[in-house]
Amino acid sequence: MSTLPLEGLTVLDFSQFLAGPSAALRLADLGARVIKIERPGKGDLSRQLYLAADMKVGTDSLLFHTINRHKLGFAANLKDPADLERVKTLIGTADVMIENFRPGVMARIGLDYETVRKINPKIIYGTVTGYGADGPWSKLPGQDLLAQSRTGLAWLSGDEPQGPVPIGLSIADLITGAHLVQGILACLVRRGISGKGGLVEVSLMESAMDLQFEFFTNFLNDGHKLPKRANVRSASAYIGAPYGIYATADGYLALAMGDIPALGEVLGCAALAAYADPDCWFEKRDEIKSILVDHLVGETTRHWLDRLQPADFWCAPVLTWSDLIEEDGFKALDFIQQVGRDGEQGFFTTRCPIRVDGETFRSTQPAPHVGEHAAEIDAMIDGAS
């Protein structure tokens, strides 16, 4: 295997839960040595956070391992002066540091950016907050559902009569982690040119708003008109019929943008010929979608795909995960990897989604026990003292 892109870099991960740890995970996938620094004993609170009952790897939750695989474990009580001094020595050897405490916490500990940059002027310091470091929301809990709700994101999903519908995964956390990686990599490039370190700040609020930049820009420039979702099979508040997911005789079918009369010809649905004016595809989307609802349920998903795909109409079956993993198209990606220690039950998870020079990156090392790699990291600290 060739050298990984970030091999030789050391990242200190002080963060918990998802946004910060997912950023550190991506850096680890790309070759960085990531040291997860946790409080002694219980460690990261997500070690005991479960997505399903009793889904464990060893003594910790499967969720924790999913987010923190391929990291080294070091335990330190940041309120203990001796532990704090050893951590500061470790900071002096690091390239990147990530934290997601509420604003002001790291300053009280003595590990805020201004203090850390005096220890290591070249360090890239990444910080995650819920709503930024200042302002009336800065002290509020930075949690995904709350961020989706405050940013209006929940008004983009579901049919209009349903009211706000959140996205069914931690999208604000995940996009914030991705933005943190982008900022860290940008500062690492700058450091390679100028030798200058930097502070990278991201928040769930700003990342969730950036995720909506297309639609929010439309709102800002269109008289502040709020999004209006379709009443029937809505998949986007801003796209006309047929855009949506429809029940078939044995499953579901997704239809993207397309010419309505042409769609009617392909599907054998004569009623769609009446909607020849493209302007009405948005204005009368509920009418059009209601016709499709009644028509598509009469045949199987495969029946409709066999007509739509040869006509190059944008469509897809709506697969379950059980369906997906049996599909040749998914198998060709070789996207699942097994992670585990010798002598312990392993688990299956996804690999890094990035390819570089045609190569994919895998890491079979699970998340560490609290302080598992203390001896190795203590040697680094003693060598730097």
Side-chain angles (χ1 to χ4, degrees):
M1 179 182 289
S2 60
T3 301
L4 296 170
L6 299 184
E7 197 166 303
L9 293 177
T10 297
V11 177
L12 305 183
D13 179 13
F14 290 83
S15 60
Q16 297 190 88
F17 295 111
L18 184 52
S22 69
L25 172 64
R26 186 61 67 236
L27 298 175
D29 282 341
L30 294 172
R33 174 173 56 185
V34 175
I35 300 172
K36 186 168 183 67
I37 298 176
E38 302 174 83
R39 59 181 179 175
K42 291 185 177 180
D44 185 335
L45 294 175
S46 70
R47 287 182 180 272
Q48 304 305 317
L49 185 63
Y50 299 92
L51 296 181
D54 205 33
M55 288 295 291
K56 289 185 177 182
V57 176
T59 59
D60 298 310
S61 72
L62 175 61
L63 174 64
F64 175 80
H65 280 270
T66 304
I67 306 165
N68 292 285
R69 57 178 169 78
H70 204 57
K71 299 178 184 179
L72 303 178
F74 186 70
N77 179 0
L78 300 180
K79 296 180 180 180
D80 179 85
D83 276 10
L84 183 60
E85 282 307 308
R86 291 186 69 75
V87 167
K88 287 182 176 180
T89 302
L90 188 60
I91 286 171
T93 71
D95 299 284
V96 176
M97 173 175 164
I98 295 173
E99 63 89 11
N100 67 344
F101 294 98
R102 291 194 194 186
V105 171
M106 289 301 261
R108 291 196 294 273
I109 292 172
L111 292 179
D112 56 296
Y113 175 60
E114 291 304 319
T115 302
V116 166
R117 71 188 296 195
K118 293 174 183 176
I119 300 170
N120 183 350
K122 292 187 176 182
I123 201 166
I124 311 301
Y125 189 111
T127 182
V128 182
T129 61
Y131 305 96
D134 302 302
W137 289 356
S138 62
K139 303 298 185 183
L140 295 175
Q143 193 277 333
D144 190 273
L145 177 61
L146 308 184
Q148 287 197 47
S149 300
R150 279 199 174 87
T151 59
L153 186 59
W155 289 104
L156 297 178
S157 297
D159 295 343
E160 185 66 24
Q162 291 179 275
V165 177
I167 295 172
L169 52 78
S170 299
I171 189 68
D173 275 318
L174 292 169
I175 194 64
T176 302
H179 288 162
L180 181 59
V181 172
Q182 292 170 19
I184 288 170
L185 294 178
C187 281
L188 285 170
V189 171
R190 184 182 69 179
R191 192 183 71 176
I193 297 170
S194 67
K196 180 182 178 181
L199 171 65
V200 179
E201 299 174 274
V202 294
S203 73
L204 271 64
M205 180 79 184
E206 290 161 293
S207 289
M209 291 306 303
D210 183 72
L211 190 65
Q212 304 173 79
F213 80 101
E214 291 178 281
F215 296 161
F216 190 60
T217 297
N218 194 77
F219 164 81
L220 292 174
N221 293 279
D222 190 28
H224 290 188
K225 294 178 184 176
L226 293 173
K228 173 72 173 175
R229 295 165 294 169
N231 292 326
V232 180
R233 294 296 178 180
S234 182
S236 172
Y238 290 93
I239 300 178
Y243 203 80
I245 290 175
Y246 300 86
T248 66
D250 65 347
Y252 293 89
L253 174 72
L255 297 177
M257 297 80 72
D259 182 283
I260 295 299
L263 176 62
E265 290 182 19
V266 173
L267 297 178
C269 183
L272 295 183
Y275 301 94
D277 182 0
D279 289 342
C280 79
W281 301 346
F282 187 88
E283 296 168 3
K284 297 185 177 182
R285 61 184 175 178
D286 287 341
E287 289 182 26
I288 297 168
K289 288 185 172 190
S290 294
I291 292 170
L292 285 167
V293 165
D294 292 339
H295 187 76
L296 292 170
V297 76
E299 296 286 355
T300 66
T301 301
R302 184 73 264 164
H303 173 89
W304 298 125
L305 290 172
D306 287 344
R307 283 150 181 76
L308 292 163
Q309 289 177 327
D312 198 27
F313 201 95
W314 291 2
C315 62
V318 181
L319 303 176
T320 66
W321 289 331
S322 298
D323 298 329
L324 174 65
I325 61 175
E326 298 302 325
E327 289 284 335
D328 289 340
F330 180 75
K331 291 177 181 178
L333 296 174
D334 194 20
F335 196 54
I336 297 173
Q337 63 178 354
Q338 188 169 15
V339 176
R341 294 182 181 86
D342 292 339
E344 290 188 3
Q345 180 182 2
F347 65 98
F348 294 96
T349 187
T350 56
R351 61 162 171 79
C352 177
I354 302 167
R355 296 173 188 261
V356 176
D357 298 328
E359 185 177 351
T360 59
F361 307 120
R362 297 174 179 274
S363 56
T364 59
Q365 178 182 327
H369 300 303
V370 177
E372 178 179 349
H373 302 93
E376 177 182 342
I377 297 164
D378 279 337
M380 290 173 53
I381 295 171
D382 292 338
S385 298

